[in-house]
Amino acid sequence: MLTIDTAPGAGIGLTVISAGAGRMRLRINGFRFDTVRAVAIEDAVGKVAGVQAVQAYPRTASVVIRYSPGVLDLDEILPAICDAERIPAASVPARAPHSVDNSKPGVVQKIFDWAERTRSGQGGNDSGAGRAVTAQAAGAFSDGCCDHDDDDVPERLWQVVKLRRAALSGVLLTASAVTAWLTPFGPVALGLKVLALAVGASTFAPSSLMRLARGRIGVGTLMTIAAAGAVALGQVGEAAMLGFLFSISEGLEEYAVARTRRGLRALLSLVPDEATVLRDGAEIVVAAADLRVGDQMIVKPGERLATDGVVRSGRSALDISAITGESVPVEAGPGDEVFAGSINGSGVLQVQVTATAEDNSLARIVHIVEAEQARKGASQRLADRIARPMVPGIMIAGVLIAGIGSVVGSPAVWVQRALVVLVAASPCALAIAVPVSVVAAIGAASRLGVLIKGGAALEALGTIGGLALDKTGTLTANRPVVIDIATTNGATREEVLAVAVALEARSEHPLAAAILAAAEQPIAAADDVQAVPGAGLTGYLDGHALRLGRPGWLDPGDLTDQVARMQHAGATAVLVERDELLLGAIAVRDELRPEAAEVITRLRADGYEVAVLTGDNHATAAALAAQAGIAQVYAELRPEDKARLVGQLRAQRPTAMVGDGVNDAPALAAADLGIAMGAMGTDVAIETADIALMGQDLRHLTQALEHARRSRQIMLQNVGLSLGIITVLMPLALFGTLGLAAVVFVHELTEIIVIVNGVRAGRIKSLTGPAHDI
């Protein structure tokens, strides 16, 4: 992230969260604006030269700008926002921000509304103010398809209003058929058909007419026209069958979408409504929304953490599986970071709050999802490009078929065929083909600690052929350990380690932590410890002069061969002296993650080309890569070198860069896809990467790759089936081979198959057991 400017005296600043390919996301520091101010900002920034489109997100205080590279001057953005803040509310146009739609709130918006109600103590009451749908939540499903009521997300099939009406319509249709067959009461049978039509059509006709009044047409419009035309031709039964079958497919679609979106809703539900804090020496229970940075939060066994913090006292094991997808509890003690939603084990923890409920790690994830949801993949863009113009095109084709056919043949026959063509060519299955798969796949991944930013990232992940892995923090855990101790001149391993620990006791060097961790007993710190830059440490203990440092500064003597062996194995060797007598050498190395070899073997078996990119020396990189089973090793690289190499790898095959999201930012940006490892609690990693693996288990990488490949296959299956059915049904409808009822049945059956197939993308297996070596 980069803070680019601050307005003097206004207290307003801009931070560039992400930028590239004519798209930029900025966070506005200094105030959180409402929807009125969002409109003002969109209008003001939209007038800046080079800006093509602006979307302001009030709840995240962020702005997404699409611009012309080389034309936009960033320095003009901040003054425009400052001007927008000063515009009187009465002068701001009465419209919703471009980031929202005026239709009913989608589930992502409901997450934020729920969070706001929880923070304000409003319980379950839904406020009409501010109920806006993010562009993707409302527009994830193309206008080519139909409306869905999202006010009450159904938990069970029978709770879907459209399905209940469809069932009633089916009962009435059945009753009309029985009446016509068993009795002479024709008018009664006709009346039952009319009722069946009215009940079935009530699920789509009213909303279609309202959309039509606003100048928007969709598949519901086609179905409404077809039903009305069938009634005009005296085919009330055919029209009723259309209403019955279409209402079933609509109800199933609504249920499937609601079900697949529950994964994102579940994130915020992990946070408890209340927390126990220490204030004025007493434990009191407060609302999670009232937690302040610096509060001392008491977390008892079995409780969830209400927000992020740092452990000040106590030890326990935390279950973070709902956040990171890792099944093994994580030990937490004084100084360790802990995150909202974690479940405390058997110990009592005192945690110092580091983030409010509004800004904790889970809230930030949902904020990012809100801003990034509009990124559609190639399959969805293709489906949208086909579906959107199809509806008006089909209507025009229907008019031409009816008009020309009436001139050359029977008007009644060709009007009927035109109505059948309207149904046969309607693209609802095509419009739903990709979005239902994307929503299902992303929701399922989020439950297992894999954050995928939109359909574009999901599809890109499914096409990856090569992986560039950073060494430190990705292949390794970035926690060096002592792997060997060599001794000489009669010293024991314990003596060598004791001298090293005495000198490193107060050091902040990464190797010091490894040496201190290797000591089994507490050891007194040396006196007068001094660091020799680039060499080592000196000090005194019990009257003895101590030294610790690299070979070259200290003479390895008869340990020369053993030191060389340590270095060849990829370890850092340090020598230890007491009173100028060499005692031994200690080898410290950042070891591979226990699951690394297993993951690399799996990746290679799946056909991925794997390379290691690191700033470490060649010997260390080669040794660890050999352990992991990786042949391509690029070492001693600076960040810009990594970015250049990733560009070269991209030229050979689609390549993803896997790193920590901080030091590897240039390489992540240069790759076809950036994947951040261990991103939980790391703002930069979550902001910059396309995919964020929230946990530390490298097996999530193979899990995410397999999930994306399978999801992409499902998307392509759905698109192919949808286009294939339209291609087959249209000529059959045009030449009268199939009637209205048959076409409606095949069309709606196809949509149901597409929905069910898309929901399959939400199936993903959790990792079981701890990571292990193979």
Side-chain angles (χ1 to χ4, degrees), residues 526-581:
D527 299 320
D528 194 23
V529 177
Q530 296 184 13
V532 180
L537 300 171
T538 65
Y540 295 89
L541 182 65
D542 298 332
H544 297 284
L546 311 179
R547 290 202 299 173
L548 175 148
R550 62 175 178 80
W553 183 58
L554 299 182
D555 184 4
D558 57 357
L559 294 180
T560 300
D561 291 342
Q562 288 170 285
V563 167
R565 189 185 70 250
M566 292 174 176
Q567 293 175 330
H568 183 71
T572 298
V574 292
L575 300 173
V576 179
E577 279 188 0
R578 182 172 59 200
D579 295 330
E580 298 186 359
L581 179 67

Side-chain angles (χ1 to χ4, degrees), residues 248-331:
I248 289 177
S249 67
E250 281 294 282
L252 288 176
E253 179 183 321
E254 180 180 320
Y255 175 72
V257 172
R259 180 181 174 185
T260 54
R261 282 176 171 168
R262 288 177 198 148
L264 279 178
R265 271 206 336 274
L267 281 177
L268 282 180
S269 68
L270 295 176
V271 180
D273 295 333
E274 296 178 330
T276 303
V277 296
L278 279 176
R279 288 185 182 169
D280 299 325
E283 291 187 12
I284 62 171
V285 177
V286 300
D290 294 333
L291 288 172
R292 302 189 297 262
V293 174
D295 275 345
Q296 299 298 315
M297 185 167 55
I298 304 299
V299 187
K300 299 173 184 177
E303 292 184 344
R304 287 188 184 271
L305 272 72
T307 190
D308 301 344
V310 175
V311 177
R312 291 307 176 205
S313 66
R315 290 188 176 276
S316 185
L318 297 180
D319 179 355
I320 58 173
S321 58
I323 308 168
T324 67
E326 295 178 358
S327 57
V328 180
V330 175
E331 294 293 327

Side-chain angles (χ1 to χ4, degrees), residues 575-629:
L575 300 173
V576 179
E577 279 188 0
R578 182 172 59 200
D579 295 330
E580 298 186 359
L581 179 67
L582 182 66
L583 299 181
I586 300 176
V588 179
R589 186 173 65 186
D590 186 12
E591 292 285 74
L592 283 178
R593 295 181 184 273
E595 72 277 12
E598 172 192 354
V599 168
I600 299 304
T601 300
R602 184 67 175 271
L603 289 173
R604 293 176 62 185
D606 289 342
Y608 294 100
E609 291 291 330
V610 184
V612 174
L613 276 61
T614 179
D616 213 338
N617 63 73
H618 282 285
T620 299
L624 288 175
Q627 271 188 269

